[in-house]
Amino acid sequence: MTTPDEPVTLFPSDLFLAPELSEDRASRYLASRGFREPAAADRNLQLMADDLVSRQALGSLAAVLLDCLSVTPDPDAALVGFSRYLATRTPKSSFLRYLHDDPRALQVLTQVLGTSPFLSEILIRNPEYFHWLQHELGRSVPDRLDYAEELEGLLANARGAGRLDALKRLKRREMLRIASRDILGKETVQSATAQVSNLADLVAEGALRIVSEESLERAGLDALPGTFVVIGMGKLGGQELNYSSDIDLIYVYDSDEPDDPDGHAFFQKLGRKLTSALTEYSGESYLYRVDLRLRPMGKRGSIAYSLAQCRQYYETWGETFERLALIKARSIAGDASLGRRFVEMVRPFVYRRYLDHAALEEMFRHKSRTDRENLRRGETERNVKVGRGGIRELELFTQVLQLLYGADRPELQEPNTLAALDRLRDAGLVSDSVHDDLTDAYVFLRTVEHRLQIVQERQTHSLSEADTERQIFARRMGFETFDGLEVKLRTQRDRVHDVYRSLFERSKADANFHSRQFFRILSGELSEREALAHLVETYRVRDAAKVLEVVRALDEAP
């Protein structure tokens, strides 16, 4: 109900220009425009209008501003972000007139502010980035050559500790570009993850060059005592990195003098310095969280290994989970030639002529243990990565088929999950329908993962249990309600889980078949020719007759 002095029809501009408007009516109007906390929203609007010129400019902009705020995933957060960002612009009235003249710029700004507090903080910290971002939205994305040129300029223009801080600023700016384009629908999952991965490559290369120069100067050397390479693993290796992933790395070197302990010590120190450069905080924050547990011997091992040590380890001690991990091994920084030698060296370890079915069963048992732990924590349905029908099951399905058939079909030796699915389909190892369903599910689940992580740049994979947060998240995903998102999520995950279980059942049946066949060989139930054919087909042995002779001799031994 209006008071006699209040306008009968309320216009957006009245929020700023109608002095007789009561706080209660302003709040009711803002609630009708989608604000959860309308009184707080009104206070933020009034705080922006702290001088007459700004109030008049806001009055002119009000209708378009409220329209833009209302269609963001979180109008309240968008308004808070807009108020804070506007406070960085001097004079405010000039920026408000710019937005009035360019409504598209206002749409971009409010959509980013209403989707990601993390990106909002970048804009508030560096207000000038907004105009740069506007320009970047209409340009083609930078390629690796563009990044290489930018790195050269960065290293040439900065000195000392300022070089790592310059890298951090570059990373922060580029994350704003990539994620904003993603939010605004200008990127696919594939293009966004490739760019985030390329950025990590660039940063690792820059950090390595910085610490290498410092290490050489400290050691009084003119050149490295050999070569050093950073191997990217996991999503980084597959060029499918998340917005808030750890980067999984292995450090490999090849010393000029293999028997000289000083060379080995130098590269151990270099690995530690590189890890520190990537992970340590400064006033510009940090670069990446680094995970080195996929290196030989894991947490118990050295921080860096020579190529010869890697060869010996994988030939002697390598485990099945390491074979899965090394599918995605890729040289990302340092000596590219050494990186290629490493990848070629581990290839026979990864893609064997046969797959140990006991090891395969162990992979499934490990996944089952993870599932039980998620069930205990109540995350079976909320966690889109390791939960039922999540990203991990889809990746495991793909990687197991790569291990099973990759030795005979080199085209399957592909680090990227979607590209590997394409190749499995082309090889006739998965049907068109399975390929299409898994591809759709992967893109959808990774989009969910990205929208979860872009909120606060946190490494999370779980949906919130709070109703309000769920509704906001649904809008981040382009759904009007969480119920609609939940139906789509359940459908995708059910399909992934069905395909994953079919692989498990098929592998279990294969293992049982091979066990029965092996028993029939030992018992003499199979003829010599049948036994030889089974050994050749199943285990790809070169001299089946010799193997059969040894097997039977062992069976007859006391």
Side-chain angles (χ1 to χ4, degrees):
M1 184 176 210
T2 63
T3 66
D5 294 330
E6 287 183 322
V8 176
T9 301
L10 188 61
F11 297 98
S13 59
D14 293 332
L15 293 167
F16 298 102
L17 303 178
E20 70 279 6
L21 182 66
S22 68
E23 292 182 2
D24 179 65
R25 191 171 182 213
S27 292
R28 282 186 278 115
Y29 176 74
L30 289 169
S32 74
R33 298 300 301 265
F35 291 92
R36 297 188 314 279
E37 299 180 16
D42 186 38
R43 286 194 296 274
N44 278 312
L45 291 171
Q46 301 313 311
L47 283 172
M48 290 190 291
D50 57 356
D51 64 78
L52 181 59
V53 178
S54 295
R55 182 172 291 276
Q56 291 173 335
L58 282 164
S60 298
L61 186 66
V64 181
L65 176 61
L66 286 186
D67 285 345
C68 289
L69 292 171
S70 297
V71 297
T72 65
D74 188 348
D76 294 75
L79 177 55
V80 170
F82 184 81
S83 176
R84 291 180 62 208
Y85 180 77
L86 183 61
T88 69
R89 305 304 301 247
T90 305
K92 290 190 294 184
S93 56
S94 295
F95 183 68
L96 290 169
R97 284 193 290 270
Y98 161 71
L99 295 178
H100 182 274
D101 294 339
D102 188 356
R104 175 57 183 159
L106 179 60
Q107 291 172 355
V108 168
L109 180 60
T110 52
Q111 196 65 31
V112 171
L113 295 172
T115 301
S116 170
F118 162 62
L119 298 180
S120 300
E121 292 301 324
I122 295 177
L123 284 171
I124 292 164
R125 180 170 183 162
N126 298 99
E128 70 280 6
Y129 283 0
F130 177 63
H131 299 286
W132 172 84
L133 176 63
Q134 284 283 100
H135 182 251
E136 290 296 310
L137 293 176
R139 293 185 59 195
S140 58
V141 301
D143 57 22
R144 297 181 72 88
L145 181 59
D146 294 326
Y147 272 157
E149 291 176 354
E150 182 140 24
L151 179 61
E152 291 299 330
L154 182 150
L155 295 178
N157 295 323
R159 295 289 181 271
R163 291 188 293 176
L164 281 176
D165 280 345
L167 263 184
K168 293 171 185 178
R169 289 190 292 271
L170 172 62
K171 184 209 169 188
R172 187 163 62 236
R173 190 200 70 189
E174 285 299 300
M175 288 295 283
L176 171 68
R177 180 187 61 78
I178 298 166
S180 296
R181 287 177 57 93
D182 187 2
I183 288 169
L184 296 167
K186 293 182 175 292
E187 301 291 352
T188 63
V189 165
Q190 298 95 310
S191 64
T193 54
Q195 289 176 67
V196 174
S197 301
N198 287 341
L199 177 60
D201 292 359
L202 169 82
V203 170
E205 177 66 32
L208 177 58
R209 287 175 58 178
I210 290 169
V211 298
S212 294
E213 290 174 13
E214 292 173 351
S215 297
L216 288 173
E217 184 177 353
R218 190 170 289 109
L221 298 174
D222 295 326
L224 296 179
T227 52
F228 185 93
V229 69
V230 181
I231 301 296
M233 305 285 285
K235 284 186 167 61
L236 174 56
Q239 291 190 294
E240 47 200 7
L241 199 62
N242 288 332
Y243 286 121
S244 185
S245 287
D246 294 352
I247 54 173
D248 297 301
L249 305 178
I250 295 176
Y251 302 146
V252 180
Y253 64 91
D254 193 18
S255 181
D256 290 338
E257 300 291 340
D259 296 327
D260 180 9
D262 289 342
H264 294 277
F266 178 91
F267 287 116
Q268 296 298 322
K269 291 178 183 177
L270 183 62
R272 284 192 289 272
K273 287 182 179 297
L274 176 57
T275 304
S276 295
L278 291 169
T279 58
E280 286 182 351
Y281 278 80
S282 72
E284 297 289 349
S285 190
Y286 72 106
L287 289 168
Y288 290 100
R289 297 180 300 271
V290 173
D291 192 338
L292 299 172
R293 289 176 294 176
L294 291 177
R295 69 190 188 273
M297 303 299 292
K299 291 188 291 186
R300 295 177 291 116
S302 301
I303 197 165
Y305 282 90
S306 71
L307 188 65
Q309 289 170 333
C310 290
R311 179 181 292 108
Q312 182 180 16
Y313 172 81
Y314 291 122
E315 288 177 353
T316 308
W317 302 104
E319 299 184 42
T320 301
F321 82 89
E322 290 172 303
R323 295 176 60 199
L324 286 170
L326 286 165
I327 288 175
K328 294 185 177 293
R330 179 175 65 87
S331 171
I332 68 161
D335 190 274
S337 176
L338 177 59
R340 286 190 293 271
R341 289 165 60 199
F342 174 84
V343 172
E344 288 300 318
M345 183 268 293
V346 299
R347 201 179 300 276
F349 164 69
V350 177
Y351 299 103
R352 296 175 180 173
R353 291 293 174 183
Y354 65 92
L355 183 63
D356 181 350
H357 286 276
L360 185 57
E361 257 189 76
E362 174 56 29
M363 286 192 291
F364 287 114
R365 282 198 298 271
H366 175 73
K367 177 63 171 60
S368 297
R369 288 194 296 270
T370 303
D371 291 344
R372 289 193 295 273
E373 180 63 20
N374 289 329
L375 182 62
R376 186 185 66 79
R377 293 199 303 257
E379 289 201 349
T380 300
E381 297 301 324
R382 292 195 303 118
N383 192 307
V384 298
K385 179 181 179 181
V386 298
R388 182 194 61 83
I391 297 166
R392 180 62 55 80
E393 286 189 1
L394 195 156
E395 290 174 335
L396 189 57
F397 171 87
T398 306
Q399 290 168 340
V400 166
L401 289 178
Q402 288 179 276
L403 291 188
L404 281 169
Y405 300 102
D408 288 337
R409 303 186 182 191
E411 69 273 15
L412 300 180
Q413 299 173 15
E414 165 60 52
N416 183 274
T417 301
L418 287 177
L421 281 171
D422 288 346
R423 297 187 184 190
L424 288 168
R425 176 203 56 199
D426 295 344
L429 294 171
V430 299
S431 67
D432 287 344
S433 63
V434 167
H435 166 272
D436 294 347
D437 289 347
L438 292 187
T439 297
D440 289 346
Y442 184 82
V443 169
F444 181 74
L445 293 172
R446 289 299 306 275
T447 302
V448 171
E449 187 179 51
H450 284 182
R451 295 297 179 269
L452 286 169
Q453 295 188 357
I454 204 61
V455 178
Q456 296 289 358
E457 200 201 16
R458 287 180 53 236
Q459 191 181 26
T460 180
H461 311 278
S462 295
L463 298 166
S464 173
E465 293 183 290
D467 288 341
T468 298
E469 289 302 315
R470 288 186 171 213
Q471 295 303 327
I472 293 171
F473 184 75
R475 291 195 291 272
R476 286 192 183 101
M477 287 291 299
F479 289 82
E480 291 187 10
T481 66
F482 184 75
D483 289 343
L485 170 62
E486 194 171 32
V487 169
K488 177 75 176 286
L489 193 57
R490 187 183 304 116
T491 300
Q492 297 283 17
R493 293 177 66 157
D494 285 347
R495 178 57 173 150
V496 170
H497 191 61
D498 286 345
V499 172
Y500 169 80
R501 283 187 59 82
S502 73
L503 175 64
F504 171 72
E505 296 300 332
R506 187 169 82 189
S507 300
K508 191 173 180 181
D510 286 348
N512 290 336
F513 169 75
H514 297 314
S515 298
R516 289 195 302 272
Q517 292 295 83
F518 199 72
F519 176 79
R520 294 175 72 194
I521 290 173
L522 295 179
S523 66
E525 185 179 338
L526 286 182
S527 69
E528 186 90 0
R529 194 170 79 174
E530 290 172 324
L532 292 173
H534 178 71
L535 288 170
V536 170
E537 266 185 48
T538 304
Y539 300 107
R540 315 307 205 262
V541 297
R542 295 176 187 167
D543 191 345
K546 184 64 176 177
V547 172
L548 184 59
E549 179 184 333
V550 171
V551 167
R552 285 179 171 161
L554 288 172
D555 184 52
E556 293 168 1

